[in-house]
Amino acid sequence: MFTSRQIARRIPLRSPRRWAHSLPQLNSVTKEDLAHFSKILPPSAILSTLSATPTPASELEPFNNDWMNKYHGKSTTVLKPRNVKQVSEIVKWCNERRIGIVPQGGNTGLVGGSVPIKDELILSLSNMASIRSFDDASGILVADAGCILQSLSDYLTPLNHVVPLDLGAKGSCQIGGNVSTNAGGLRLLRYGSLHGSVLGLEVVLPDGTILDQLTTLRKDNTGYDLKQLFIGAEGTLGVVTGVSILAAPAPQASNNIMLALPKFDNVLPLYREVKKQLCEILSAFEFIDRTAYDLGVKHGQGRALDSEVVEGAECFVLVETSGGNREHDEEKLNNLLESLLDVDHPLINTGVLASSPAQFSSLWAIREGLTEAMSKEGKPYKYDISVPLHKFKEVVDKTRDHIKEMGLLHDGAVKYVVGYGHVGDGNLHLNVVASEYTPEIEAALEPFVYELVATYRGSVSAEHGIGVMKTHALQYSKDATSIELMKRIKHLFDPKGIMNPGKVLV
Ligand SMILES: Cc1cc2nc3c(=O)[nH]c(=O)nc-3n(C[C@H](O)[C@H](O)[C@H](O)COP(=O)(O)OP(=O)(O)OC[C@H]3O[C@@H](n4cnc5c(N)ncnc54)[C@H](O)[C@@H]3O)c2cc1C
């Protein structure tokens, strides 16, 4: 185990801007390229400021700017293919011409991976949004990569199944983007990661070859499991065009409860107790610190809890159950609540048990609205980290103290340092909400946060990925041998470096 001081000496941190020189030499899209693309795609699928009838720059803005409005590209051209053959032809041409490509799904990523660094071509999957098949016996769904997560969920609901993935961005993010970021989200505790539930992928490789691994087999031990390489590759190894995923049977009854805790130290013993009592019906255990809760109800859709519930609470935990028998599950939850309160030193102050579907949604809305709430309050520096559960509060407190010591905790600089996240997955979302993104605040936070994570042998990216934001911090969670192997894999797939240049590895 290293101290942060030792790590700082071992690993010089370089800011993303200073990596720019090490990007591969790539060409810009020209009018000749557009002429070629117009042989592949109809005019409606080409947005370009270089066209004979130029697309207004304002129409390209949503594709060039990321969800946080923190990372900005200068792409002149967005292509929207409808099928894998078109993707293949576009990618083949770009490879021959050495044109950088940024695959883009719903553009909800939080690490700047989905927008160009310079003027790379943006390949939007939004026109590839068909469901290819669903087998209600096996639960296997095969869909185009551009299907929006919410629409897949809506499709499966009447068929008594659920997508094994849920996140606050579900109304915009696409299944191909989810796979490419290996998104975790709110159901990971129950259904595990996409490395388990994705059964097959169809991918266009950087030379245009179509890799058809769109299997619907649950068991297939025939050598290397190549699809795993693309899960979480953030578009650096190819374009995901189709996904085969194992949907789960829809729970017959879901319920939730928001617990108010007097102190953070109670979270871990509470988690143990909740797991013991709820056992197989536990489907989410989400942590929200007090400041995050306050901002969540200030800006979000969830109704504030009654003041007597909130009073004296240092943090909250949202527990969800999903099971097969409503009465049985409700009884278990009621028993849990009673047993938690009926002791000399209760772990919780009180709790609110959802008594209607509307209240169930409202409690979830508090949690799901947090990401958006931070952006409404100011400019959030987002650190999505894995650390041991008992360190969640320490990380938030140490970061706040550090910002204070640097004289940056005041109106006009950093407004709040908050934590929330997926306790069950050991994933903390540390958010430092500032009035503006400034080099001074960034310098105060990095490498500080990454060093702190490394002292706990944690991960600098639990679920959002590396994108452009954390390329310089990869070394805090991966050793030199691993990074070297990753670079060799990247070179094997993409020797010209056209796929999402400057992301993940530089
Ligand atoms: C409100 C909110 C809540 C969120 N909550 C969570 C959460 O709980 N858990 C979590 O893990 N994440 C969360 N995220 C971030 C998460 O990474 C994204 O929401 C989602 O997985 C990205 O999907 P997307 O379609 O928007 O991809 P994009 O943002 O478009 O792209 C993300 C990356 O994937 C690549 N990519 C996209 N599509 C493809 C493709 N078809 N082929 C190859 N590469 C591709 C892009 O190049 C980029 O590198 C949240 C984001 C928001 C805004």
Side-chain angles (χ1 to χ4, degrees), residues 67 102-110 113-114 125 145 167-169 173-174 176-178 180-181 183-185 234-235 238-240 371-372 422 463-464 500:
W67 188 86
V102 179
Q104 193 176 88
N107 197 11
T108 65
L110 299 174
S114 50
L125 276 294
L167 41 133
C173 64
Q174 301 175 1
N178 301 146
S180 301
T181 53
E234 301 180 56
V239 184
V240 175
T371 307
E372 205 159 356
H422 317 291
E463 60 176 10
H464 293 163
N500 218 356

Side-chain angles (χ1 to χ4, degrees), residues 488-502:
R488 280 158 65 181
I489 290 169
K490 166 76 177 168
H491 187 74
L492 178 72
F493 279 84
D494 184 16
K496 294 184 183 170
I498 62 158
M499 288 304 308
N500 218 356

